[in-house]
Amino acid sequence: MIDQGQFQSIWEKCDKPVLIYCKEDQGYRLQYRNELAMRVCPDGAPELAQIREQMSVSRTESESPFCHIGERVYSLVFFSWDDFEVCMLHDLTVQYQNNRRALDEAVMASRAKTSFLSEMSHDIRTPMGAIIGMTDIALMQKDIPVRISECLHKIKTASGHMMSLLNEVLDMSRIESGKILLQSQPADIADLLHEILIVAKPQADAGKLDFHFEMGRMDQEKILVDGVRLKQICINLLSNAIKFTPAQGRVDMYLDVANMEGASRVLMTLRVRDTGMGMSPEFMKKLFTPFEREEKSTTNKIQGTGLGMAITKNLVELMQGDIQVESAPGEGTCFTLRIPFEVAESSLEVYQKALFGKRVLVLTADEKQGAQLQKMLDKLGMQTDLARDAMEVVTCLNDTLLEDQEYHAFLTVEKVPGMDMMQFLPDVRRRMGAKFPILLLSESDWSQTEYLYTRSGVDAFVPLPLFLSRLSAVLYSFTKEGKQEKQQEDAGIQWNFGNKRLLLAEDNEINREIEQEILGMSGIQITVAENGQQAVDRFRESQPFYYDMILMDIQMPVMNGLDATRTIRGMDREDAQTVPIVAMTANAFVEDVKNSLDAGMNAHLPKPLEIEQVFSTMGMFLERGHT
């Protein structure tokens, strides 16, 4: 056994504090400490277990071990020496304090930036809401000169671009601070894809690009997803592909949704490939860094904040997915996303029950498309007759009449070789009568072709690419059950609140004017309050149940909307707890919605206001009349 003299002769000249522990049955016992260690630990050295416990509190695999002894901070080096455990200490107090100070300053700066951007969000959204609102009101006027109408539409487009840039900056700030939250709700993939393609296709056409969409497996069509964020991811990728691909180039999009284990989850694979200018290896290392843009003479005129890809990557990771990129200068770029989602409950069983056993006539010359349609209709329990040209359609229709049977609907593609659909469809309509459903499968934007095809006899539109959910929903709408649901919905198309009273709390004069103009369309009687205190006073001074609803701005002088709501809810009168209070604010993030609900509000309307959303929300709380 080594004695104290030997320890001293070996370790006393070491210029670092040294603690030597001896291994025993019950653990480690301090055997020796040099003079420097005695200065560090004048009251006796800590137990080895205590030191290691301190080290494990904040240590990660990539960090050097350190611990606090008294008011000093030391890095630690451990090694074995014969039967002993040697611990050598290195004083890092100054570096630690400097780093801690820098970290605290960085955290404070980040908080200040987030707070500033949050305030700016409200301050910028308020005038932007006025611009968008006034533009909408102007566009609703009759007999607008063409030139003025064009200017108004351009103002609306520029305002939308401004809002998207603002949202990108705010999104990046909230992602960095960890405050962004996802709102997962049931959504149809068909609807999400349609909304994405409505944005992407016109952009590609304007850029004179060849745009192609390919769909892989579609094991499930309804998922739990934050649809707004998923669309933001997809549109970011597609917009970049379109922006950075020269005219006559090509952009491809691929979507695949495959069951994972247990079929309660799916893996969505999204791929966006372009033949554009590509990226250098140096820039790819910084691709997902905020505000980074590759400086090229070909890209200097392309607008953007340099935040799109940083936001995209962070959103993908929030969804527990991953994103990969392949690119080379002059050879284009390919992004591949893989994101898991929970499966949501669908309406397919309701549709299957109503459609089971019904017969459909399908016109398409494409054998692959015909097989796909027949497979989908088989899943709905429907019978299918396939026709490849006009003659086969006429034969099938005649046969059913002779057999005293009937088709539930005629489903046709937009183009068939050798046929003029604009002449053929009216013939089918005359033969089958006004009530026979004729449905059109098309990749075109229905809003652009609706007038032409409805005059030719088409009743409804089934958008391509084909989804079972979309196809079944359209076919269901022509069943007895579907028609009854439609009648119930149509009964409330026009909003009439002429016998209702509304208390509107809004401090901004221009916003009040816009809101009164929009709300006045429903005939509702409006009382105005210019701040939260006035709203409280107006409500207190009114008779119980005088107001049927309150629309409450959040950020107002004297008293804000949250405090005003709490005050109203706390009043000792029978309608204080029941009157619907709806937030109406530029603070439109998830936590803002939560704060509104926690204060006692019933719902939340983000600014700029959307007319349909406003009236739909009001209809949830007020009796709905029909004009």
Side-chain angles (χ1 to χ4, degrees):
M1 178 67 69
I2 300 176
D3 59 28
Q4 291 293 320
Q6 290 175 304
F7 278 124
Q8 187 157 347
S9 64
I10 297 172
W11 294 104
E12 194 61 34
K13 293 182 180 180
C14 181
D15 61 352
K16 305 293 181 189
V18 175
L19 304 170
I20 299 179
Y21 296 85
C22 176
K23 187 174 182 180
E24 295 181 343
D25 293 338
Q26 302 300 320
Y28 286 88
R29 176 177 58 83
L30 181 66
Q31 184 75 26
Y32 168 81
R33 53 181 173 156
N34 64 3
E35 185 176 347
L36 289 175
M38 291 181 186
R39 295 177 192 170
V40 170
C41 314
D43 299 327
E47 295 290 338
L48 183 61
Q50 293 177 350
I51 294 178
R52 284 182 164 163
E53 185 178 355
Q54 281 196 53
M55 290 165 48
S56 65
V57 170
S58 58
R59 183 187 176 192
T60 64
E61 194 171 318
S62 62
E63 292 176 339
S64 299
F66 68 91
C67 76
H68 297 261
I69 301 177
E71 296 182 354
R72 312 296 291 179
V73 180
Y74 296 89
S75 67
L76 308 176
V77 177
F78 284 95
F79 58 90
S80 298
W81 177 54
D82 289 339
D83 295 328
F84 303 101
E85 189 79 7
V86 178
C87 176
M88 189 174 294
L89 286 69
H90 179 67
D91 194 333
L92 292 177
T93 305
V94 174
Q95 296 94 318
Y96 179 85
Q97 290 174 343
N98 289 340
N99 289 341
R100 173 61 65 181
R101 191 180 303 111
L103 176 61
D104 291 342
E105 290 174 356
V107 169
M108 289 178 63
S110 178
R111 289 175 180 168
K113 178 185 71 173
T114 301
S115 176
F116 168 76
L117 289 173
S118 180
E119 294 293 329
M120 287 300 296
S121 165
H122 182 275
D123 292 345
I124 295 176
R125 281 174 183 271
T126 298
M128 287 303 300
I131 294 170
I132 294 171
M134 286 295 188
T135 304
D136 284 337
I137 291 171
L139 286 169
M140 286 188 286
Q141 306 307 307
K142 296 180 180 179
D143 301 323
I144 308 174
V146 175
R147 179 56 181 159
I148 293 177
S149 177
E150 289 176 355
C151 292
L152 289 171
H153 278 101
K154 288 178 180 179
I155 291 171
K156 188 169 183 177
T157 301
S159 301
H161 181 62
M162 179 69 181
M163 288 299 294
S164 68
L165 294 178
L166 171 64
N167 288 336
E168 280 192 351
V169 174
L170 292 170
D171 277 350
M172 196 64 243
S173 172
R174 300 182 84 77
I175 288 170
E176 287 177 346
S177 63
K179 289 187 176 181
I180 196 164
L181 301 173
L182 297 177
Q183 278 187 305
S184 294
Q185 296 177 336
D188 284 310
I189 295 173
D191 294 336
L192 295 174
L193 180 64
H194 180 65
E195 291 169 16
I196 291 165
L197 294 180
I198 274 181
V199 175
K201 281 187 172 181
Q203 289 181 356
D205 291 342
K208 299 180 180 178
L209 302 177
D210 190 9
F211 183 89
H212 285 266
F213 172 78
E214 180 184 354
M215 190 161 70
R217 292 172 57 181
M218 195 56 57
D219 293 341
Q220 303 289 340
E221 294 188 15
K222 196 159 191 175
I223 57 176
L224 289 173
V225 59
D226 188 326
V228 173
R229 296 303 184 183
L230 182 61
K231 286 187 289 184
Q232 183 179 3
I233 290 169
C234 297
I235 290 172
N236 273 350
L237 293 177
L238 287 167
S239 295
N240 274 353
I242 292 166
K243 279 195 300 185
F244 294 104
T245 301
Q248 314 309 321
R250 177 177 173 129
V251 174
D252 293 311
M253 178 181 175
Y254 172 82
L255 180 67
D256 181 278
V257 179
N259 282 335
M260 299 174 71
E261 291 183 11
S264 63
R265 285 165 61 82
V266 292
L267 181 66
M268 176 182 288
T269 301
L270 174 73
R271 185 164 56 245
V272 175
R273 186 189 302 274
D274 64 65
T275 60
M277 58 189 67
M279 294 177 284
S280 65
E282 294 76 18
F283 178 71
M284 285 180 65
K285 296 175 183 177
K286 304 181 292 182
L287 174 62
F288 299 112
T289 303
F291 303 107
E292 287 290 343
R293 300 187 68 204
E294 189 165 19
E295 293 297 328
K296 294 181 181 178
S297 59
T298 51
T299 64
N300 286 341
K301 295 182 180 180
I302 299 176
Q303 295 181 343
T305 59
L307 288 173
M309 292 315 304
I311 292 171
T312 296
K313 184 174 189 294
N314 279 280
L315 289 176
V316 169
E317 290 176 350
L318 275 175
M319 294 179 179
Q320 308 301 314
D322 68 81
I323 181 170
Q324 298 177 351
V325 57
E326 302 172 28
S327 186
E331 297 181 13
T333 302
C334 178
F335 285 95
T336 303
L337 278 66
R338 293 180 180 87
I339 309 174
F341 293 107
E342 298 288 336
V343 176
E345 185 178 352
S346 73
S347 304
L348 190 59
E349 289 185 9
V350 176
Y351 298 155
Q352 287 173 325
K353 185 177 179 180
L355 294 169
F356 185 82
K358 289 183 167 50
R359 196 170 179 181
V360 178
L361 175 59
V362 175
L363 171 60
T364 177
D366 186 331
E367 292 186 7
K368 183 179 178 181
Q369 188 179 49
Q372 182 189 20
L373 278 163
Q374 185 150 19
K375 184 178 179 181
M376 288 186 174
L377 294 167
D378 286 345
K379 286 184 179 180
L380 296 172
M382 304 185 76
Q383 301 175 40
T384 309
D385 291 336
L386 286 174
R388 291 170 295 181
D389 54 34
M391 185 60 69
E392 290 187 8
V393 170
V394 172
T395 301
C396 289
L397 292 175
N398 289 338
D399 288 347
T400 55
L401 292 173
L402 291 173
E403 296 168 6
D404 196 24
Q405 296 180 353
E406 63 178 18
Y407 283 113
H408 174 66
F410 173 46
L411 191 61
T412 178
V413 296
E414 190 174 12
K415 296 178 181 179
V416 176
M419 289 181 61
D420 185 344
M421 299 301 291
M422 293 303 164
Q423 290 185 0
F424 179 68
L425 291 176
D427 288 342
V428 175
R429 170 62 65 215
R430 285 191 291 271
R431 178 184 292 268
M432 301 305 294
K435 295 183 178 180
F436 180 65
I438 299 177
L439 315 178
L440 181 71
L441 288 163
S442 175
E443 291 182 341
S444 303
D445 184 351
W446 181 234
S447 63
Q448 303 295 322
T449 58
E450 181 178 9
Y451 177 77
L452 187 62
Y453 277 106
T454 51
R455 284 178 61 85
S456 299
V458 173
D459 294 290
F461 167 67
V462 182
L464 296 175
L466 195 59
F467 284 83
L468 180 61
S469 57
R470 281 286 185 87
L471 177 62
S472 58
V474 174
L475 290 169
Y476 175 77
S477 69
F478 292 96
T479 63
K480 179 179 67 176
E481 297 86 350
K483 289 176 182 177
Q484 288 175 349
E485 289 183 14
K486 184 73 164 55
Q487 287 173 355
Q488 293 172 359
E489 291 176 5
D490 289 347
I493 285 178
Q494 298 294 328
W495 300 98
N496 180 11
F497 304 125
N499 60 340
K500 301 297 179 182
R501 298 186 183 95
L502 173 74
L503 175 58
L504 172 64
E506 170 64 71
D507 66 302
N508 186 280
E509 184 177 355
I510 296 178
N511 283 349
R512 276 201 309 274
E513 182 181 346
I514 294 170
E515 290 153 11
Q516 286 180 274
E517 181 83 20
I518 292 173
L519 296 168
M521 295 176 185
S522 68
I524 198 166
Q525 301 174 50
I526 302 171
T527 301
V528 172
E530 297 182 6
N531 57 59
Q533 184 61 58
Q534 279 191 15
V536 170
D537 294 340
R538 299 276 192 277
F539 186 80
R540 182 183 289 114
E541 294 162 2
S542 67
Q543 294 295 319
F545 299 102
Y546 178 83
Y547 291 112
D548 299 289
M549 189 174 188
I550 301 174
L551 285 181
M552 184 81 74
D553 191 19
I554 298 296
Q555 290 195 19
M556 293 186 290
V558 185
M559 180 184 287
N560 65 45
L562 299 179
D563 290 338
T565 299
R566 295 187 187 101
T567 303
I568 291 172
R569 293 299 188 208
M571 289 182 183
D572 185 17
R573 51 186 280 173
E574 50 187 334
D575 61 340
Q577 295 298 320
T578 58
V579 61
I581 304 178
V582 176
M584 183 181 56
T585 174
N587 298 341
F589 295 103
V590 175
E591 56 267 35
D592 299 318
V593 177
K594 183 178 183 301
N595 291 338
S596 301
L597 299 177
D598 289 345
M601 296 185 175
N602 301 91
H604 189 282
L605 288 171
K607 292 180 181 177
L609 297 177
E610 294 182 9
I611 297 175
E612 285 301 320
Q613 187 180 11
V614 171
F615 289 143
S616 176
T617 302
M618 291 172 66
M620 291 179 355
F621 300 106
L622 302 173
E623 285 184 6
R624 190 159 72 175
H626 183 66
T627 59

